Coordinates of all heavy atoms in Angstrom, one line a residue:
Chain B
A580 N 2.4 37.8 4.3 CA 3.1 38.7 5.2 C 2.2 39.1 6.4 O 2.7 39.2 7.5 CB 3.4 40.0 4.4
F581 N 0.9 39.2 6.2 CA 0.0 39.6 7.3 C 0.0 38.5 8.3 O 0.2 38.8 9.5 CB -1.4 39.9 6.7 CG -2.4 40.1 7.8 CD1 -2.5 41.4 8.4 CD2 -3.2 39.1 8.3 CE1 -3.4 41.6 9.4 CE2 -4.1 39.3 9.3 CZ -4.2 40.6 9.9
Y582 N -0.4 37.3 7.9 CA -0.6 36.2 9.0 C 0.7 35.9 9.7 O 0.7 35.6 10.8 CB -1.3 35.0 8.4 CG -0.6 34.1 7.4 CD1 0.5 33.4 7.7 CD2 -1.2 34.0 6.1 CE1 1.1 32.6 6.8 CE2 -0.5 33.2 5.2 CZ 0.6 32.5 5.5 OH 1.2 31.7 4.6
M583 N 1.8 36.0 9.0 CA 3.1 35.7 9.6 C 3.5 36.7 10.7 O 3.9 36.4 11.8 CB 4.2 35.5 8.6 CG 4.3 34.2 8.0 SD 4.1 32.8 9.1 CE 5.5 32.9 10.2
F584 N 3.2 38.0 10.3 CA 3.6 39.0 11.3 C 2.5 39.1 12.4 O 2.8 39.4 13.5 CB 3.8 40.4 10.6 CG 5.2 40.5 10.2 CD1 5.7 40.1 9.0 CD2 6.2 41.0 11.1 CE1 7.0 40.1 8.7 CE2 7.5 41.1 10.8 CZ 7.9 40.7 9.6
R585 N 1.3 38.7 12.1 CA 0.3 38.5 13.1 C 0.8 37.5 14.1 O 0.8 37.7 15.3 CB -1.0 38.1 12.5 CG -2.0 37.6 13.5 CD -3.3 37.2 12.8 NE -4.3 36.7 13.7 CZ -4.5 35.4 13.9 NH1 -3.7 34.5 13.3 NH2 -5.4 34.9 14.7
A586 N 1.4 36.4 13.6 CA 1.9 35.4 14.5 C 3.1 35.9 15.3 O 3.1 35.7 16.5 CB 2.3 34.1 13.7
V587 N 4.0 36.6 14.7 CA 5.1 37.1 15.4 C 4.6 38.1 16.5 O 5.1 38.0 17.6 CB 6.1 37.9 14.4 CG1 7.1 38.7 15.2 CG2 6.7 36.9 13.5
F588 N 3.7 39.0 16.1 CA 3.3 40.0 17.1 C 2.5 39.3 18.3 O 2.7 39.7 19.4 CB 2.3 41.0 16.4 CG 3.1 41.9 15.4 CD1 2.5 42.3 14.2 CD2 4.4 42.3 15.7 CE1 3.2 43.1 13.3 CE2 5.1 43.1 14.7 CZ 4.5 43.5 13.6
M589 N 1.6 38.4 17.9 CA 0.9 37.7 19.0 C 1.8 36.9 19.9 O 1.5 36.8 21.1 CB -0.2 36.8 18.4 CG -1.4 37.5 17.9 SD -2.6 36.4 17.1 CE -3.5 35.8 18.6
T590 N 2.8 36.3 19.3 CA 3.7 35.4 20.1 C 4.7 36.2 20.9 O 4.9 36.0 22.1 CB 4.4 34.4 19.2 OG1 3.4 33.8 18.4 CG2 5.1 33.3 20.0
F591 N 5.4 37.1 20.2 CA 6.6 37.7 20.9 C 6.4 39.1 21.3 O 7.2 39.6 22.1 CB 7.7 37.6 19.9 CG 8.2 36.2 19.5 CD1 7.8 35.6 18.3 CD2 9.0 35.5 20.4 CE1 8.2 34.3 18.0 CE2 9.4 34.2 20.1 CZ 9.0 33.6 18.9
H592 N 5.4 39.8 20.8 CA 5.3 41.2 21.1 C 4.1 41.5 22.0 O 3.4 40.5 22.4 CB 5.2 42.1 19.9 CG 6.5 42.1 19.1 ND1 7.4 43.1 19.2 CD2 7.0 41.2 18.2 CE1 8.4 42.9 18.4 NE2 8.2 41.7 17.8
G593 N 3.8 42.7 22.2 CA 2.6 43.1 23.0 C 2.6 42.7 24.4 O 3.7 42.5 25.0
E594 N 1.4 42.6 25.0 CA 1.3 42.3 26.4 C 1.4 40.8 26.6 O 1.0 40.0 25.7 CB -0.2 42.7 26.9 CG -0.5 44.1 26.7 CD -0.1 44.9 27.9 OE1 -0.5 44.6 29.0 OE2 0.7 45.9 27.7
S595 N 2.0 40.4 27.7 CA 2.1 39.0 28.0 C 0.7 38.4 28.4 O 0.1 39.0 29.3 CB 3.1 38.7 29.1 OG 3.1 37.3 29.4
R596 N 0.3 37.4 27.8 CA -1.0 36.7 28.2 C -0.7 35.3 28.7 O -1.5 34.5 28.7 CB -1.9 36.7 27.0 CG -2.3 38.0 26.4 CD -3.2 37.9 25.1 NE -2.4 37.2 24.0 CZ -1.6 37.9 23.2 NH1 -1.4 39.2 23.4 NH2 -1.0 37.2 22.3
V597 N 0.6 35.2 29.1 CA 1.0 33.8 29.5 C 0.4 33.5 30.8 O 0.4 34.3 31.7 CB 2.6 33.8 29.5 CG1 3.1 32.4 30.0 CG2 3.2 34.2 28.2
D598 N 0.0 32.3 30.9 CA -0.5 31.8 32.2 C 0.5 31.8 33.3 O 1.7 31.6 33.0 CB -1.0 30.3 32.0 CG -1.8 29.8 33.2 OD1 -2.5 30.6 33.8 OD2 -1.7 28.6 33.4
E599 N 0.1 32.3 34.5 CA 1.2 32.5 35.5 C 1.9 31.2 35.9 O 3.0 31.2 36.4 CB 0.5 33.1 36.7 CG 0.3 34.6 36.5 CD -0.6 35.2 37.6 OE1 -0.9 34.5 38.6 OE2 -1.1 36.3 37.4
Q600 N 1.2 30.1 35.7 CA 1.8 28.8 36.1 C 3.0 28.4 35.3 O 3.8 27.7 35.7 CB 0.7 27.7 35.9 CG -0.6 28.0 36.6 CD -0.6 27.6 38.0 OE1 -0.3 26.5 38.4 NE2 -1.1 28.5 38.9
V601 N 3.0 29.0 34.0 CA 4.0 28.5 33.1 C 5.3 29.3 33.3 O 5.3 30.5 33.4 CB 3.5 28.8 31.6 CG1 4.6 28.4 30.6 CG2 2.2 28.0 31.4
H602 N 6.3 28.5 33.4 CA 7.6 29.2 33.6 C 8.4 29.2 32.3 O 8.9 28.2 31.8 CB 8.5 28.4 34.6 CG 9.9 28.7 34.6 ND1 10.4 30.0 35.0 CD2 11.0 28.0 34.3 CE1 11.7 30.0 34.9 NE2 12.1 28.8 34.4
V603 N 8.3 30.4 31.6 CA 8.8 30.5 30.3 C 10.4 30.5 30.3 O 11.0 31.2 31.2 CB 8.4 31.8 29.6 CG1 8.9 31.9 28.2 CG2 6.8 31.9 29.6
H604 N 11.0 29.7 29.4 CA 12.4 29.7 29.4 C 12.9 29.4 28.0 O 12.2 28.9 27.2 CB 13.0 28.5 30.3 CG 12.5 27.2 29.9 ND1 13.2 26.4 29.0 CD2 11.4 26.5 30.3 CE1 12.5 25.3 28.9 NE2 11.4 25.3 29.6
E605 N 14.2 29.9 27.7 CA 14.8 29.7 26.4 C 15.2 28.2 26.3 O 15.4 27.6 27.3 CB 16.0 30.6 26.3 CG 16.7 30.6 24.9 CD 15.8 31.0 23.8 OE1 14.9 30.3 23.4 OE2 16.1 32.0 23.1
S606 N 15.2 27.8 25.1 CA 15.5 26.3 24.9 C 17.0 26.1 25.0 O 17.8 27.0 24.9 CB 15.1 26.0 23.5 OG 13.7 26.1 23.4
P607 N 17.4 24.8 25.2 CA 18.8 24.5 25.3 C 19.6 24.7 24.0 O 19.0 24.8 22.9 CB 18.8 23.0 25.7 CG 17.5 22.5 25.2 CD 16.6 23.6 25.3
R608 N 20.9 24.7 24.1 CA 21.7 25.0 22.9 C 21.5 24.0 21.8 O 21.6 24.4 20.6 CB 23.2 25.0 23.4 CG 24.0 26.1 22.6 CD 25.4 26.2 23.2 NE 25.4 26.7 24.5 CZ 26.4 26.5 25.4 NH1 27.5 25.9 25.0 NH2 26.3 27.0 26.6
V609 N 21.3 22.7 22.1 CA 21.2 21.7 21.1 C 20.0 22.1 20.2 O 19.9 21.6 19.0 CB 21.0 20.3 21.7 CG1 19.7 20.2 22.5 CG2 21.1 19.2 20.6
M610 N 19.0 22.9 20.7 CA 17.9 23.3 19.8 C 18.2 24.6 19.2 O 17.7 24.9 18.1 CB 16.6 23.3 20.6 CG 16.1 22.0 21.0 SD 14.9 22.0 22.3 CE 13.6 22.9 21.5
L611 N 19.0 25.5 19.9 CA 19.2 26.8 19.3 C 20.2 26.8 18.2 O 20.0 27.6 17.2 CB 19.7 27.8 20.5 CG 18.6 28.0 21.5 CD1 19.2 28.9 22.6 CD2 17.4 28.6 20.9
I612 N 21.2 26.0 18.2 CA 22.2 26.0 17.2 C 21.5 25.6 15.8 O 21.7 26.3 14.8 CB 23.4 25.1 17.5 CG1 24.1 25.7 18.7 CG2 24.3 24.9 16.3 CD1 25.2 24.8 19.3
P613 N 20.7 24.6 15.8 CA 20.0 24.3 14.5 C 19.2 25.5 14.0 O 19.2 25.8 12.8 CB 19.1 23.2 14.8 CG 19.8 22.4 15.9 CD 20.5 23.5 16.7
L614 N 18.6 26.2 15.0 CA 17.8 27.4 14.6 C 18.8 28.4 13.9 O 18.4 29.0 12.9 CB 17.2 28.1 15.8 CG 16.0 27.3 16.4 CD1 15.4 28.1 17.6 CD2 14.9 27.2 15.4
G615 N 19.9 28.6 14.5 CA 20.9 29.6 14.0 C 21.3 29.2 12.6 O 21.4 30.0 11.7
V616 N 21.6 27.9 12.4 CA 22.1 27.4 11.1 C 21.0 27.7 10.0 O 21.3 28.2 8.9 CB 22.5 25.9 11.1 CG1 22.8 25.5 9.7 CG2 23.6 25.7 12.1
L617 N 19.8 27.3 10.4 CA 18.7 27.5 9.4 C 18.4 29.0 9.2 O 18.1 29.4 8.1 CB 17.4 26.8 10.0 CG 17.4 25.3 9.8 CD1 16.2 24.7 10.5 CD2 17.4 24.9 8.3
A618 N 18.6 29.8 10.2 CA 18.5 31.3 10.0 C 19.5 31.8 9.0 O 19.2 32.6 8.1 CB 18.6 32.0 11.4
L619 N 20.7 31.3 9.2 CA 21.8 31.7 8.2 C 21.4 31.3 6.8 O 21.5 32.1 5.9 CB 23.1 31.0 8.6 CG 23.9 31.7 9.6 CD1 25.2 30.9 9.9 CD2 24.3 33.1 9.2

Side-chain angles (χ1 to χ4, degrees):
Chain B
F581 175 82
Y582 66 67
M583 277 317 296
F584 271 87
R585 169 178 174 265
V587 169
F588 292 145
M589 283 179 81
T590 311
F591 294 101
H592 291 263
E594 302 273 304
S595 174
R596 298 174 298 278
V597 180
D598 191 31
E599 280 166 17
Q600 311 274 311
V601 179
H602 166 66
V603 182
H604 59 89
E605 181 63 293
S606 298
R608 215 172 297 159
V609 65
M610 289 165 65
L611 292 179
I612 292 171
L614 289 180
V616 176
L617 284 171
L619 277 179

